[in-house]
Amino acid sequence: MVAVPPVVESPDPPRVAWRRQMRERVLREAWALAAQNGWDRVRIADLAERAEVSRPSIYKEFGDRAGVGQALAERETERFLLGLSAVLGPDGRSVHDALRDGVTHTLGEGRRNPFIRAVLTAARGGTDALLPFLTSRPDPVFSSARELLGAWLAETVPEASRQRREEAADVAVRLTLSHMLLPGPRHDDVATRVAGATCAVLGVPGASPDGTPTT
């Protein structure tokens, strides 16, 4: 047998490597500034200074300030979806329990992640302009989370109709986002209620707010 040599990936050309590093530095500083002061106060000049790049380089890479916001929202969305997917995972829990854990994780991210917390806090006051990137622009976290949840339900509850699964995913995401924007006193109860409502739409067993299984 002839041994096949391993494929060795060649390093990126210097220009490509620099561009990738520059892009990451800009997004990292944009994340920090938005988390600290809100997206409304993030300026290209501040990003250029903190990331140690020129303003023309930022404009060339992202187009404008809105382009930075879109790229930042996409990066945070990817990170969030990876975490949510891991929480939902196919580990034998009931649909209700997995959904409850997913909602709990999402609400927890809103409290733990300073960037998300800053966006939500500002949005409650009607001042932050980054929320639309997360909820209504192309590939937002809302649509992506709904698609992820719909795909998970298709694997977990294949007996439910596609329409039911899509409606259930929409209900779960909308209710969770509503509670993130207008949080209630107890996140555990919220997670149970959202999971129960989603199960009701699906037509699968859920649980009452006190955790008692329902049919």
Side-chain angles (χ1 to χ4, degrees):
M1 176 181 293
V2 178
V4 178
V7 177
V8 179
E9 295 184 0
S10 59
D12 292 328
R15 182 177 294 275
V16 174
W18 179 87
R19 179 181 174 185
R20 180 181 293 110
Q21 293 170 3
M22 180 273 290
R23 182 181 180 88
E24 180 56 31
R25 288 202 307 272
V26 171
L27 292 178
R28 184 172 63 245
E29 296 302 336
W31 187 97
L33 286 172
Q36 181 179 358
N37 301 316
W39 177 251
D40 288 343
R41 297 184 181 180
V42 176
R43 299 290 179 264
I44 294 295
D46 297 330
L47 289 177
E49 180 179 357
R50 290 177 59 125
E52 299 182 341
V53 299
S54 67
R55 280 184 288 180
S57 293
I58 294 179
Y59 285 120
K60 183 177 181 180
E61 176 67 22
F62 297 97
D64 54 16
R65 180 174 173 273
V68 177
Q70 181 65 44
L72 182 59
E74 290 173 358
R75 189 184 74 161
E76 292 305 303
T77 295
E78 182 178 359
R79 290 180 175 180
F80 165 73
L81 293 178
L82 286 173
L84 179 59
S85 180
V87 171
L88 290 174
D91 54 11
R93 285 168 299 167
S94 68
V95 175
H96 175 274
D97 288 351
L99 288 169
R100 181 197 60 208
D101 293 345
V103 175
T104 299
H105 168 78
T106 302
L107 296 175
E109 280 293 290
R111 298 193 306 271
R112 292 187 298 267
N113 188 313
F115 170 76
I116 297 177
R117 186 168 64 245
V119 172
L120 294 175
T121 299
R124 291 166 194 149
T127 62
D128 197 278
L130 190 60
L131 187 64
F133 290 107
L134 298 173
T135 56
S136 61
R137 299 293 176 89
D139 299 321
V141 65
F142 182 91
S143 297
S144 299
R146 186 171 52 191
E147 291 173 5
L148 183 149
L149 189 55
W152 179 78
L153 290 173
E155 294 182 0
T156 309
V157 197
E159 65 274 16
S161 68
R162 179 177 179 179
Q163 181 178 356
R164 275 181 176 264
R165 296 195 304 265
E166 291 178 348
E167 291 176 353
D170 187 74
V171 165
V173 174
R174 287 183 186 277
L175 288 178
T176 302
L177 181 60
S178 295
H179 282 290
M180 291 179 74
L181 290 170
L182 298 171
R186 294 187 58 183
H187 288 283
D188 290 343
D189 290 346
V190 167
T192 299
R193 290 199 299 271
V194 173
T198 306
C199 287
V201 174
L202 278 171
V204 301
S208 62
D210 62 2
T212 303
T214 62
T215 57

